Amino acid sequence: KSVAWLEPFMEAEKAAKALGQQARFSPSGLFFGNRDEAVTMAAAAQAAPGAQATDSARGTFLIATVKGDVHDIGKNIVAVVLRCNNFRVIDLGVMVPCERILEEAVRHGADIIGLSGLITPSLEEMITVARTMEEQGFRIPLLIGGATTSARHTAVKIAPVYSQPVVHVGDASLSVAVVESLLDQDRRGEFVRKNLLDQQRSRASFEQRQQQTLVPLATARERRFQADWQTSPPPRPERSGLRVISSLPLAELVPWIDWSPFFMSWQLIGKYPRILQDPVVGEEARRLFEDAQKELQQLVADNRLTAKAVYGLWPANSEGDDVVLWKDEQRNDELLRFPMLRQQWERVGQRDFRCLADYVAPAGIPDYVGAFALTAGHGCDELAKQIEAEGDDYRAIMIKALADRLAEAFAEYLHARVRREWAYGNQEHLTNEQLIDEQYQGIRPAFGYPSCPDHLPKGPLWRLLDVEQQIGMTLTSSYAMWPASSVSGLYFSHPQARYFSVDRVTKEQVEDYAARMGMSLTDMERWLAPNLGYTPGQS
């Protein structure tokens, strides 16, 4: 905010000096006038014939969230940090196609391009951008960042397709040092050499990891998680079918907020509330938390954000590795099915290979599965843009971070409500800390996360819940949810259900899964690229 306030003075100085006007400046270069005079002077000087305002920026950095992805909190923090360190930042926003990224990079003379993304399909889009940069002869560094990105993925998948430096930046606070090193001719060589060595080690480690044997799909299925349906018969809900929450007061969600991830989004690592007393970051954490409370109170009072949800429970059974939903209690007419993936990587001490279908009773035993989609983000983008236009990036990022926390709080609130409606949660008496630690029965896995890493089933989920019509949430081409502060997934009630990671899978399972999804192997390999335990195209 301070930088935005000072910018007219800096522009006035550059414009006036370009025209040789020194009268309004002290010997040390300080402008004598007020801010309004600075704005007027800068505009007049830049409009004068022959004006050649000098640009004192240390370099031009272009940044964008890639096509299909709507998340931008981390990207925005990086942009603010770089601007405050006198770099010219061209922020193209979210869902930016490869073609526009590269066209704008050329138009603005970018010294570095930065790509951001949160969902796993964004990883493939980043590869596309890097490959296109190589094809078009770009000679500038490429920076990679975002929650799903990693130094290993950057080294293994992105760096090999682009001959210029490709650097993973896992923390926004490191972006300045990385950009400075890449643009400083004295430091660039050593920085690039070290980055290449680190990436070579990452590729070697990845190759070694890929050699680890994955069990055959038949073996994994034989050693599936065996639920005891006699000891734990499936609970029967009060009612099945669709329910809609058109607007939930934000005040009801505040007690459900888990604050630890909020601090992580600001690069402050620590568990709430202990982080407030941390000897290193405690003071800044307390200041941030105080600002967050004030902003949250204002959001609750103004109703600028709207929380909406659609959810339901349906008769269901498992069929192999598929979860089948039925139209009614007769269980004769199939409503839809969700094919699931199964673990194949055998870890030390592992007794079974899990699939989410294992948590649903087979045919002959009446069971139920829930589904949901919710958001606390309607109105967030508009409010953030309004505040950004006022020059307050801090508040704009704060509002988006709080909207994310409210969406996750809504997910916990709704899950607790569903457990009660499903009858098995009536006796719960859990504190907020116990809820955060998930000390309750049942799970709510989301598509695109470790237990079900494919994002494609969001399509059938949207049709099942009529999400767009009911609550105005949409999906991008990469199946990212809009508004960004949204959560969706399935509900499973089995008392032994727990989250797990599918991790890597064999070509055999990808072929099987593609057939169950009605897709080609090539298309499925693209969607499951981060989970492939083999290299596509190799026998």
Side-chain angles (χ1 to χ4, degrees):
K1 191 174 184 180
S2 299
V3 170
W5 193 89
L6 289 169
E7 276 179 346
F9 292 96
M10 295 186 286
E11 292 302 318
E13 178 183 344
K14 288 189 291 185
K17 286 181 178 178
L19 295 174
Q21 299 176 2
Q22 297 292 335
R24 299 302 302 277
F25 294 89
S26 70
S28 60
L30 296 176
F31 181 66
F32 282 132
N34 60 35
R35 192 170 187 271
D36 290 339
E37 290 175 317
V39 172
T40 302
M41 182 176 181
Q46 290 172 349
Q52 298 289 328
T54 59
D55 187 354
S56 61
R58 302 167 67 191
T60 299
F61 182 85
L62 182 140
I63 191 168
T65 298
V66 296
K67 183 178 73 173
D69 203 322
V70 299
H71 300 89
D72 65 355
I73 291 179
K75 171 185 71 64
N76 293 349
I77 292 175
V78 169
V80 170
V81 169
L82 288 173
R83 284 194 184 107
C84 289
N85 282 272
N86 199 27
F87 289 97
R88 178 178 178 232
V89 178
I90 310 299
D91 187 346
L92 300 183
V94 301
M95 294 198 295
V96 187
C98 172
E99 298 78 11
R100 182 168 176 240
I101 292 173
L102 302 189
E103 287 171 2
E104 294 293 327
V106 172
R107 187 166 76 88
H108 291 283
D111 298 300
I112 296 178
I113 292 176
L115 303 179
S116 178
L118 181 70
I119 60 174
T120 50
S122 297
L123 300 176
E124 288 299 295
E125 182 63 22
M126 291 176 180
I127 297 172
T128 298
V129 175
R131 184 179 290 115
T132 307
M133 290 176 70
E134 182 69 16
E135 292 170 354
Q136 295 186 7
F138 274 75
R139 306 291 296 171
I140 61 178
L142 177 63
L143 267 56
I144 302 295
T148 59
T149 65
S150 67
R152 171 177 284 179
H153 181 271
T154 301
V156 174
K157 299 292 187 178
I158 304 178
V161 303
Y162 185 52
S163 57
Q164 300 303 309
V166 180
V167 183
H168 178 257
V169 183
D171 186 320
S173 66
L174 303 176
S175 57
V176 173
V178 171
V179 171
E180 286 177 337
S181 297
L182 287 169
L183 296 183
D184 187 315
Q185 294 305 312
D186 294 332
R187 287 187 283 169
R188 178 186 171 107
E190 178 60 23
F191 179 86
V192 171
R193 186 189 69 81
K194 184 179 183 301
N195 184 61
L196 286 173
L197 288 175
D198 290 342
Q199 291 182 341
Q200 288 171 0
R201 284 192 287 266
S202 290
R203 284 191 284 270
S205 173
F206 176 78
E207 289 300 325
Q208 185 177 8
R209 181 174 180 268
Q210 289 294 81
Q211 299 305 313
Q212 293 174 321
T213 303
L214 304 179
V215 303
L217 182 58
T219 301
R221 285 173 171 167
E222 288 172 5
R223 294 174 57 185
R224 67 192 303 132
F225 168 73
Q226 299 286 348
D228 185 350
W229 300 107
Q230 301 304 315
T231 303
S232 302
R236 184 184 180 93
E238 297 173 357
R239 53 165 281 189
S240 57
L242 205 64
R243 297 189 182 187
V244 178
I245 300 175
S246 58
S247 180
L248 186 74
L250 296 183
E252 293 195 34
L253 300 178
V254 173
W256 298 80
I257 292 178
D258 176 7
W259 286 102
S260 295
F262 169 80
F263 291 102
M264 292 175 62
S265 69
W266 295 92
Q267 316 296 317
L268 297 177
I269 308 303
K271 190 173 179 61
Y272 174 83
R274 290 196 303 270
I275 190 173
L276 301 179
Q277 306 305 323
D278 186 274
V280 177
V281 301
E283 181 180 354
E284 194 60 40
R286 289 191 297 273
R287 181 169 22 226
L288 181 68
F289 189 62
E290 181 179 342
D291 289 346
Q293 297 309 302
K294 293 177 182 176
E295 196 68 60
L296 184 59
Q297 291 173 10
Q298 195 66 43
L299 290 173
V300 170
D302 292 348
N303 291 317
R304 293 293 298 269
L305 305 183
T306 305
K308 300 182 178 184
V310 56
Y311 70 102
L313 298 166
W314 284 268
N317 289 108
S318 61
E319 184 178 299
D321 289 352
D322 292 352
V323 174
V324 181
L325 272 57
W326 305 104
K327 291 183 178 179
D328 53 42
E329 294 290 351
Q330 303 305 312
R331 300 172 188 263
N332 294 320
D333 297 325
E334 182 177 313
L335 180 60
L336 62 79
R337 65 175 57 210
F338 291 107
M340 298 294 182
L341 291 164
R342 182 173 295 279
Q343 292 177 309
Q344 288 186 274
W345 181 19
E346 187 168 19
R347 297 162 176 81
V348 176
Q350 184 164 344
R351 292 177 296 179
D352 50 46
F353 296 87
R354 300 197 175 210
C355 170
L356 286 174
D358 296 345
Y359 300 146
V360 184
I365 303 175
D367 201 353
Y368 299 82
V369 164
F372 72 97
L374 61 86
T375 182
H378 282 303
C380 181
D381 284 352
E382 295 81 358
L383 181 57
K385 286 177 182 177
Q386 174 188 325
I387 294 170
E388 284 173 355
E390 297 169 358
D392 198 340
D393 292 298
Y394 174 60
R395 274 195 68 209
I397 295 171
M398 174 71 76
I399 286 168
K400 291 186 176 185
L402 288 174
D404 282 355
R405 289 299 87 220
L406 287 166
E408 290 294 342
F410 197 0
E412 285 294 357
Y413 165 93
L414 187 61
H415 194 188
R417 177 167 167 168
V418 168
R419 292 195 298 272
R420 292 192 299 272
E421 294 175 357
W422 210 334
Y424 69 87
N426 290 331
Q427 304 304 313
E428 279 185 9
H429 301 286
L430 302 176
T431 65
N432 194 45
E433 289 73 21
Q434 290 172 318
L435 288 168
I436 291 172
D437 290 338
E438 299 169 356
Q439 295 180 26
Y440 48 73
Q441 179 178 326
I443 58 174
R444 52 173 182 87
F447 293 115
Y449 284 78
S451 297
C452 40
D454 186 11
H455 285 265
L456 288 171
K458 288 179 189 172
L461 178 70
W462 247 238
R463 293 191 292 273
L464 171 69
L465 296 171
D466 194 20
V467 177
E468 189 167 351
Q469 183 66 32
Q470 296 292 346
I471 58 173
M473 285 173 59
T474 58
L475 295 173
T476 71
S477 59
S478 296
Y479 289 84
M481 296 175 287
W482 184 92
S485 300
S486 301
V487 184
S488 66
L490 300 178
Y491 293 126
F492 296 88
S493 66
H494 195 277
Q496 290 179 275
R498 62 171 174 80
Y499 298 103
F500 58 87
S501 176
V502 167
D503 206 275
R504 294 177 303 120
V505 293
T506 62
K507 184 176 182 179
E508 177 189 21
Q509 179 165 192
V510 177
E511 289 174 333
D512 177 270
Y513 182 70
R516 288 185 286 138
M517 290 286 288
M519 295 178 62
S520 69
L521 173 63
T522 301
D523 286 343
M524 187 52 67
E525 286 176 334
R526 181 170 62 87
W527 283 98
L528 293 180
N531 297 91
L532 300 182
Y534 64 96
T535 302
Q538 295 184 3
S539 58

